[in-house]
Amino acid sequence: MHGLARAVRAAVAAHHGAVDLVLTGGETARRVLDALAVTELDPVGQVHHGAVHLRTPDGRSVVTRPGSFGDPDSLRHIVQALRPHSTERKVTS
């Protein structure tokens, strides 16, 4: 888990701008948040049973979900909740 946390920290650092996170598994989520020095999370809402949408003080969205929760579409629903229009096709005329 420490290696995963370091890899996520490096990926976030290499990205320009805020990066939203979807973290599954309680201990894994805690390690990643620790590696990113996230010490405060404010609840925003629930995506579905067990998947909680939170916000960091700098405005980043974080969704945590226990590893055993959710149906086969759980992660897709979470991504759609974070970026509701990113999967819609934009039509120009």
Side-chain angles (χ1 to χ4, degrees), residues 19-91:
V19 175
D20 294 334
L21 301 169
V22 176
L23 303 171
T24 62
E27 190 173 344
T28 301
R30 178 75 267 154
R31 300 281 186 202
V32 169
L33 293 170
D34 287 346
L36 294 172
V38 174
T39 59
E40 183 180 333
L41 293 167
D42 294 314
V44 174
Q46 179 173 274
V47 177
H48 61 69
H49 179 70
V52 180
H53 183 188
L54 307 143
R55 182 125 16 239
T56 64
D58 66 357
R60 178 184 328 213
S61 284
V62 177
V63 175
T64 61
R65 186 199 79 182
S68 61
F69 273 62
D71 62 26
D73 291 333
S74 171
L75 295 177
R76 184 176 57 82
H77 291 298
I78 291 169
V79 169
Q80 286 176 333
L82 290 175
R83 301 282 184 229
H85 304 291
S86 66
T87 58
E88 292 179 10
R89 179 193 254 188
K90 300 210 185 310
V91 178

